Amino acid sequence: MNLKIPTKTQLPLYKASPTLEPINTRQTQTARRVYIETYGCQMNVSDSELMSGILTQNGYEMVDQLEDANVVLLNTCAIRENAEEKVLNRLVHLHHRKKRQSDLVLGVCGCMAQHMKTKLIDAAPYVDFVLGPDAYRNLPMAINSVTIGDPFLGLKLDKGEDYADIAPIRVEGIRAWLTIQRGCDKMCTFCIVPFVRGRERSIPMQLLVDDVKRLVDEGFKEVVLLGQTVNSYNDGTHNFGDLLFGLSEVEGIERIRFTSPHPSDATDDLIEAMASCDKVCNYIHLPLQSGSTRVLKAMRRTYTAEAYRELVAKMRARIPNLAISTDVIVGFCGETETDFMETYNLMAEIRYDSAFMFKYSSRDGTLAHKTLDDDVSEVEKGRRLKEIIALQESVSHETNQRLIGEVVTVLVEGESRKDPDRYQGKTDGFKTTVFPKANSEVGDLVRVKVESTTAHTLIGSITK
Ligand code: SAH
Ligand code: F3S
């Protein structure tokens, strides 16, 4: 497995609690080889890297094939019902495997673990342990205590846990994920995240500056800052704008991205930092959720459709060629045809470069689940979703078409999956671009003249 070896100063993994000492039972008999399967968002990808860091530091070997493992960890997502169903199906498959491989240890980690708690053990009694997002320091202990019999549960949320002392293990590449903030305090009524990831906390800026310097030493050229509401970052002294300015000064980092900001926290500081720091990409993922102020209110999104529209106008005026993507939910509780049309029309007006679009999925534990009626039928949700997907497809296509003849700057990431003679990379605006290698190398910033496009890809060749 091609891994980056962490160079971060390693601090003790365990907080000063005698109950958290690892008990070395089966570890002494068999070498533990761990395979992590990651579901959901980039935050989970980043958490899996963190888990690899914790395990490697404790003498475990990470493997990239399920077949080579005797410990399998599923790092799960709980955002919509189908995300949990996917994992439950996967568990059935792994149960069969466990019957054939008697020493196989199976752990469920992450948001679904935190959401379902012991219900997960009820549904899949063969699972050996269940660890939520704030309990990853317990991983070695959970694995080692499997022989004891009872499934280990690590489900305490801890506002003090930021894992800032742990060096994640990243797969080699050009782009690195860097978690700068954990948890969320926003409490949108549809969303499970605050319940499974706990309260918001930010990692001190100086540590993040050091992290980015280390990433440069390890060969990364681009860093993506991660947080649930990444732009509400505040370490007590520095806000998100300060962080962008601070990280821009790190020599050798070529590009800085971040995801996902919350529209209500998009301050002038943020806009200024994006406009004036060359390394900060001219791209923002700005979740809209709904174009109806009435629905936004029921969602507790803390902005109106009008305020969102004005924010986009202000950002576009200050940041030339700004690419914008978004998240939209259709069929939220009480969403009428008029509300839906407001979403449709606002999307058509803003013309996003791309969008992630979802049917509302009621999540147990959220305020919407407790107090609102999930009253839009599945069929109607499906129809609304289809309509905005069709709209977005045509807008994305036209936006790409308009780039034909233009020159875009691309960070070369690696060979194109379809053609080994070509490279692929992303533009500043996060569009995938494919072009003949010429004399370029992975990690270079090259200028590519766009010659044609497919549905989601720009095709061109390197120019001066
Ligand atoms: N602030 C986070 C949001 C994470 S959830 C971030 O942007 O990183 C990602 C998206 O999933 C949300 O923006 C929302 O559009 C969608 N989502 C969240 N809860 C949902 C639910 N109950 N049903 C459908 N979609 C949901
Ligand atoms: Fe979820 Fe809203 Fe936070 S979508 S992650 S509660 S900003």
Side-chain angles (χ1 to χ4, degrees):
M1 195 180 188
N2 227 4
L3 295 172
K4 293 281 184 194
I5 306 301
T7 51
K8 197 166 190 171
T9 312
Q10 307 273 344
L11 298 176
L13 277 179
Y14 292 91
K15 290 191 168 174
S17 155
T19 55
L20 290 184
E21 286 302 318
I23 357 166
N24 224 356
T25 51
R26 260 163 52 179
Q27 168 76 18
T28 46
Q29 295 142 28
T30 346
R32 284 298 190 196
R33 295 181 306 277
V34 188
Y35 172 75
I36 306 181
E37 202 164 272
T38 308
Y39 295 80
C41 64
Q42 285 105 334
M43 184 68 86
N44 268 9
V45 173
S46 175
D47 275 1
S48 291
E49 294 173 344
L50 185 79
M51 288 154 74
S52 301
I54 291 173
L55 289 164
T56 308
Q57 209 178 322
N58 276 260
Y60 294 81
E61 185 191 343
M62 304 308 297
V63 296
D64 56 7
Q65 299 288 336
L66 174 66
E67 292 68 31
D68 298 332
N70 50 24
V71 178
V72 174
L73 304 178
L74 302 187
N75 188 7
T76 60
C77 171
I79 202 78
R80 284 166 291 275
E81 198 178 349
N82 56 10
E84 291 193 341
E85 277 163 7
K86 209 160 146 189
V87 171
L88 289 172
N89 289 336
R90 184 67 172 145
L91 283 172
V92 172
H93 174 87
L94 291 169
H95 185 209
H96 290 306
R97 190 171 191 91
K98 216 168 183 265
K99 285 184 196 154
R100 297 196 307 270
Q101 188 182 343
S102 61
D103 69 340
L104 186 71
V105 172
L106 180 56
V108 181
C109 308
C111 295
M112 176 182 172
Q114 190 70 40
H115 182 218
M116 284 188 71
K117 302 191 171 63
T118 51
K119 277 192 232 150
L120 193 54
I121 302 288
D122 298 339
Y126 46 86
V127 166
D128 293 304
F129 58 86
V130 180
L131 291 186
D134 285 346
Y136 296 147
R137 284 177 203 264
N138 294 345
L139 265 172
M141 184 174 64
I143 296 172
N144 283 336
S145 60
V146 162
T147 40
I148 294 167
D150 281 343
F152 181 94
L153 302 177
L155 296 168
K156 219 168 140 319
L157 290 174
D158 176 2
K159 179 156 197 243
E161 181 56 278
D162 62 8
Y163 300 109
D165 55 303
I166 291 175
I169 294 198
R170 298 180 166 90
V171 176
E172 264 184 41
I174 291 302
R175 178 178 305 120
W177 311 110
L178 182 64
T179 298
I180 68 161
Q181 174 203 57
R182 299 185 71 85
C184 181
D185 281 352
K186 287 285 194 277
M187 302 300 277
C188 301
T189 56
F190 55 81
C191 184
I192 197 69
V193 171
F195 301 94
V196 294
R197 287 192 164 268
R199 304 299 302 272
E200 179 182 322
R201 62 214 94 138
S202 294
I203 295 171
M205 172 159 147
Q206 191 50 51
L207 295 180
L208 297 171
V209 170
D210 293 344
D211 281 336
V212 172
K213 287 183 182 159
R214 214 171 287 116
L215 290 173
V216 170
D217 291 342
E218 290 171 11
F220 290 102
K221 302 279 180 192
E222 176 176 310
V223 62
V224 187
L225 312 177
L226 299 179
Q228 298 297 340
T229 55
V230 72
N231 53 336
S232 65
Y233 173 90
N234 193 318
D235 70 356
T237 316
H238 309 97
N239 66 19
F240 190 61
D242 300 332
L243 182 67
L244 290 180
F245 276 109
L247 296 183
S248 285
E249 279 168 23
V250 176
E251 231 171 276
I253 199 75
E254 304 274 5
R255 278 180 167 176
I256 301 170
R257 300 186 190 274
F258 54 89
T259 196
S260 286
H262 190 288
S264 298
D265 294 316
T267 57
D268 289 348
D269 276 2
L270 163 70
I271 300 173
E272 227 19 69
M274 288 184 75
S276 45
C277 299
D278 281 351
K279 292 177 181 177
V280 177
C281 290
N282 291 346
Y283 167 67
I284 192 161
H285 179 73
L286 200 59
L288 167 67
Q289 313 301 3
S290 169
S292 152
T293 295
R294 204 183 68 79
V295 173
L296 287 170
K297 200 160 176 216
M299 289 175 162
R300 289 214 182 146
R301 283 295 288 179
T302 68
Y303 53 85
T304 60
E306 197 42 47
Y308 185 99
R309 182 188 273 116
E310 280 166 16
L311 173 63
V312 169
K314 187 155 113 183
M315 295 195 78
R316 281 185 164 152
R318 185 71 185 91
I319 307 164
N321 300 320
L322 179 70
I324 310 182
S325 59
T326 198
D327 291 341
V328 175
I329 299 175
V330 293
F332 185 63
C333 313
E335 184 188 77
T336 61
E337 183 63 20
T338 313
D339 293 319
F340 167 67
M341 282 317 294
E342 284 180 13
T343 301
Y344 185 97
N345 291 335
L346 191 53
M347 288 182 75
E349 177 190 322
I350 289 181
R351 298 180 64 80
Y352 292 101
D353 290 77
S354 63
F356 298 89
M357 295 158 278
F358 313 102
K359 289 193 268 186
Y360 170 61
S361 164
S362 183
R363 307 310 287 135
D364 185 16
T366 60
L367 197 65
H369 181 84
K370 285 186 197 144
T371 62
L372 302 173
D373 238 2
D374 182 11
D375 55 1
V376 180
S377 73
E378 219 19 61
V379 174
E380 185 55 24
K381 283 178 186 173
R383 181 194 64 86
R384 293 179 189 178
L385 183 64
K386 233 171 119 187
E387 284 199 20
I388 55 168
I389 289 176
L391 165 70
Q392 187 54 47
E393 285 288 304
S394 83
V395 171
S396 297
H397 179 72
E398 284 166 26
T399 315
N400 282 354
Q401 287 273 305
R402 266 192 222 145
L403 286 171
I404 293 177
E406 301 274 317
V407 174
V408 291
T409 307
V410 179
L411 180 59
V412 184
E413 283 176 30
E415 269 175 16
S416 148
R417 255 173 290 159
K418 288 186 195 143
D419 180 354
D421 293 335
R422 295 206 258 179
Y423 275 143
Q424 56 95 20
K426 297 269 193 221
T427 66
D428 202 71
F430 212 60
K431 291 193 201 302
T432 303
T433 309
V434 176
F435 48 93
K437 288 179 177 174
N439 291 323
S440 62
E441 282 179 31
V442 171
D444 285 352
L445 272 173
V446 295
R447 284 160 55 78
V448 174
K449 185 160 188 191
V450 182
E451 287 151 0
S452 63
T453 70
T454 63
H456 300 284
T457 309
L458 308 179
I459 298 159
S461 47
I462 294 182
T463 178
K464 289 247 154 74

